[in-house]
Amino acid sequence: MEQRRPNPVPQLVSCLVLAGVTSALWAAWLGWDQQRDVHADGSTTGPYEAWQVIGLVLTLLVLVCWAASRRYAAGVVAGVTVGLTASAYYDWSDDSSGLFVVGVGMVMVGSLAVTSALRAVIVSVKRGGGAVTGL
């Protein structure tokens, strides 16, 4: 009997599309705010407000859930991670201290861990008929 190999094209396309959508969401939520807020005591915060980051995370949560439920496992993990990492690098690369690389690395590791875990949960829930068992 001949065994068919899985077609990698849908996963590759989903990875590229999700990376592009993730970069667009970064631009929509965080890309327009580049000014740091200077307070009366001289301290600075920003450039992003908490609601912007929360909005990006919630929007990405919907995107990851949708893609993982349609079995684009590799695409969702790689696409969102690549999109966030590339966007952070582009947005933060003008930092003269060079510490932006640490932040970009943290974005990469964090998004990889969270999307992997979320994908695993969604896939296991879908296989189990909607109920999480053994917790």
Side-chain angles (χ1 to χ4, degrees):
M1 240 187 247
E2 187 176 325
Q3 202 173 22
R4 294 183 66 177
R5 285 201 230 154
N7 186 1
V9 173
Q11 290 294 334
L12 179 61
V13 169
S14 70
C15 180
L16 294 174
V17 168
L18 287 169
V21 170
T22 300
S23 293
L25 288 172
W26 177 287
W29 284 103
L30 305 177
W32 54 271
D33 192 1
Q34 299 297 316
Q35 297 292 65
R36 293 195 176 273
D37 299 324
V38 180
H39 302 283
D41 63 356
S43 64
T44 61
T45 58
Y48 314 123
E49 299 293 330
W51 65 268
Q52 292 172 284
V53 177
I54 292 168
L56 175 64
V57 168
L58 292 177
T59 308
L60 287 174
L61 179 67
V62 171
L63 182 68
V64 168
C65 289
W66 176 84
S69 68
R70 277 150 186 79
R71 300 189 188 261
Y72 295 124
V76 71
V77 173
V80 172
T81 301
V82 167
L84 284 176
T85 304
S87 297
Y89 183 87
Y90 178 78
D91 199 14
W92 300 342
S93 64
D94 60 349
D95 178 36
S96 61
S97 71
L99 287 175
F100 76 94
V101 176
V102 174
V104 170
M106 291 171 67
V107 166
M108 181 183 67
V109 170
S111 62
L112 182 64
V114 171
T115 54
S116 297
L118 187 58
R119 182 206 57 87
V121 168
I122 291 168
V123 168
S124 69
V125 167
K126 271 200 78 99
R127 280 190 193 145
V132 177
T133 57
L135 293 180

